Amino acid sequence: MGRLGLAHDPTRSVATTDEGFYRWTQWIFLQIYNSWYDTVQGRARPIDELRDAYGSGALPTPDGRPWADLDPAERAAALDTRRLAYRAKVPVNWCPGLGTVLANEEVTPEGRSERGNFPVFRRELTQWMMRITAYADRLIEDLDRLDWPESVKTMAAQLDRPQ
């Protein structure tokens, strides 16, 4: 590779199987999973604070019933409706030939995978989701704090916004 003028710097590589990598990605995920976005305070808060707010009646539960009247499964479901990371059954691009879900960009206009030219089908599967729209305005407000080109900030501010 060196004779071709290509170089590889091993200090700049990432191994997703390295404990130092996945330890922190798992930690970050747990921080997000165990948080909810408080629109009044304009920030993420620990899920325990939501549980306490439901229990005290400071916040109504999603269906309006008192927290004490909910069984454990209903309480878990009530918390899940506000978590920043949650599981949901959503339509995805399923490619049986590759055995994986594909992004829209990986599916040709003919409904086939870019890799291998396998047929792709729309199918509902349970996926991990992020409740980003809950705090989209907060993210946009903070764009001015980033040292990014204005064109990139403008594009970011227009993402996921109704036209």
Side-chain angles (χ1 to χ4, degrees):
M1 286 183 45
R3 283 187 270 184
L4 294 172
L6 303 173
H8 173 71
D9 182 355
T11 64
R12 293 181 175 259
S13 64
V14 174
T16 58
T17 56
D18 177 31
E19 183 181 343
F21 177 85
Y22 68 78
R23 174 177 178 241
W24 289 110
T25 57
Q26 289 178 351
W27 180 86
I28 290 167
F29 174 81
L30 289 174
Q31 301 309 302
I32 296 168
Y33 176 74
N34 289 315
S35 298
W36 64 287
Y37 188 75
D38 184 344
T39 56
V40 174
Q41 292 190 16
R43 66 182 182 90
R45 294 174 53 193
I47 202 73
D48 291 338
E49 292 180 15
L50 178 62
R51 183 180 295 111
D52 294 344
Y54 282 155
S56 70
L59 278 177
T61 60
D63 67 4
R65 290 185 293 154
W67 184 252
D69 292 351
L70 303 179
D71 66 36
E74 291 171 323
R75 287 181 178 190
L79 294 174
D80 287 349
T81 65
R82 302 284 293 269
R83 288 185 189 276
L84 292 181
Y86 62 100
R87 290 171 52 102
K89 201 164 201 162
V90 295
V92 296
N93 298 315
W94 174 248
C95 180
L98 295 173
T100 190
V101 171
L102 300 177
N104 291 339
E105 296 79 15
E106 297 174 298
V107 181
T108 67
E110 295 77 31
R112 302 188 71 80
S113 63
E114 281 188 340
R115 178 176 289 178
N117 199 34
F118 295 105
V120 176
F121 305 95
R122 294 295 282 172
R123 175 178 172 187
E124 281 204 350
L125 290 176
T126 302
Q127 302 287 300
W128 278 103
M129 308 290 286
M130 298 282 287
R131 203 175 309 278
I132 294 171
T133 54
Y135 56 95
D137 292 335
R138 168 73 187 271
L139 292 172
I140 290 170
E141 289 169 12
D142 289 346
L143 280 175
D144 62 349
R145 299 172 61 192
L146 296 175
D147 184 22
W148 288 359
E150 283 305 315
S151 60
V152 174
K153 290 181 187 181
T154 301
M155 285 188 297
Q158 292 173 351
L159 290 176
D160 296 326
R161 289 288 185 214
Q163 299 297 323

